[in-house]
Amino acid sequence: NAGVTQTPKFRILKIGQSMTLQCTQDMNHNYMYWYRQDPGMGLKLIYYSVGAGITDKGEVPNGYNVSRSTTEDFPLRLELAAPSQTSVYFCASSYGGRPSYEQYFGPGTRLTVT
Amino acid sequence: ILNVEQSPQSLHVQEGDSTNFTCSFPSSNFYALHWYRWETAKSPEALFVMTLNGDEKKKGRISATLNTKEGYSYLYIKGSQPEDSATYLCASYNNNDMRFGAGTRLTVKP
């Protein structure tokens, strides 16, 4: 199993550009998550999904959109990139809901918006 | 607002030392506490998921305890090795919301 994979690893965007961060898991997990991690801060939840076709906002959803058309894929879209979105983005998945099940994380995408 | 605090922020120990650090979380509406180990340039990896007051979990030289009444968890590393160098994250799940602490960065010197 590859686990959770993310692409790209790094990206530099200009202000106002759009991009999609890809996330795929091959563990047949129902739950998937997108986090951002800023220096000195904990991981903050952007969006999550409890299954194909179902998504919900996390703590910091503004400026992002997600979709979940398949169990495996959970892309994160930035429509109008802003410098405040410079961060490291992690995708994660779990077999069941957050409380009881450990999460498996992808390698991260480092995004810089200038 | 759910605040999860970890202390210390960073820690330097010698190889062979035992060490511990703390995760503080709100005790109200508590459901679960997660610990993750995060090595530089890698992804966070789960160590423990704990739910019951008084829970103790162990994996090799690493163990954790949980006090849900007072809202803290300790992570212990016995006989630290250089390969234990990493950031240790905790996350608390309260009232349908899960929040991560900022982590404790451990450096073990040979």
Side-chain angles (χ1 to χ4, degrees), chain A residues 4 9-11 17-18 21 25 33 35 37 41 48 59-60 62 66 68 73 78-80 92 97 99 107-108:
Chain A
V4 180
K9 284 189 166 52
F10 305 94
R11 184 74 186 268
Q17 285 186 320
S18 301
L21 282 67
Q25 53 90 10
Y33 316 89
Y35 293 96
Q37 203 254 340
M41 310 284 283
Y48 68 99
E59 186 185 351
V60 290
N62 291 345
V66 293
R68 184 99 182 268
D73 300 307
L78 283 72
E79 290 294 348
L80 290 170

Side-chain angles (χ1 to χ4, degrees), chain B residues 39-104:
Chain B
E39 291 181 69
T40 303
K42 294 188 177 179
S43 318
E45 290 183 354
L47 287 170
F48 308 113
V49 178
M50 308 168 77
T51 57
L52 299 175
N53 185 45
D55 232 356
E56 275 191 48
K57 297 224 171 176
K58 189 174 179 184
K59 188 181 284 191
R61 292 178 292 98
I62 304 177
S63 60
T65 60
L66 181 67
N67 182 324
T68 62
K69 293 188 191 305
E70 295 179 49
Y72 64 85
S73 175
Y74 293 137
L75 190 81
Y76 299 90
I77 303 179
K78 186 177 176 183
S80 303
Q81 300 297 308
E83 57 264 30
D84 295 328
S85 297
T87 296
Y88 292 83
L89 293 175
C90 70
S92 177
Y93 193 94
N94 298 64
N95 202 28
N96 206 35
D97 188 16
M98 183 164 171
R99 299 291 173 99
F100 281 80
T104 291

Side-chain angles (χ1 to χ4, degrees), chain A residues 5-114:
Chain A
T5 56
Q6 290 182 237
T7 56
K9 284 189 166 52
F10 305 94
R11 184 74 186 268
I12 298 174
L13 279 182
K14 292 192 187 310
I15 294 171
Q17 285 186 320
S18 301
M19 78 163 293
T20 299
L21 282 67
Q22 301 291 346
C23 175
T24 300
Q25 53 90 10
D26 62 359
M27 296 173 281
N28 203 31
H29 285 170
N30 285 324
Y31 289 73
M32 295 187 75
Y33 316 89
W34 273 106
Y35 293 96
R36 59 177 288 171
Q37 203 254 340
D38 300 314
M41 310 284 283
L43 294 166
K44 291 190 186 295
L45 183 67
I46 305 170
Y47 270 96
Y48 68 99
S49 168
V50 302
I54 307 170
T55 62
D56 210 344
K57 295 177 182 178
E59 186 185 351
V60 290
N62 291 345
Y64 307 95
N65 277 303
V66 293
S67 59
R68 184 99 182 268
S69 55
T70 66
T71 299
E72 295 77 20
D73 300 307
F74 190 39
L76 177 73
R77 179 120 182 116
L78 283 72
E79 290 294 348
L80 290 170
S84 60
Q85 293 178 305
T86 293
S87 189
V88 182
Y89 291 84
F90 288 94
C91 178
S93 71
S94 63
Y95 175 73
R98 282 179 293 167
S100 307
Y101 292 88
E102 62 191 28
Q103 295 183 31
Y104 293 79
F105 286 83
T109 294
R110 185 175 293 274
L111 175 68
T112 302
V113 182
T114 62

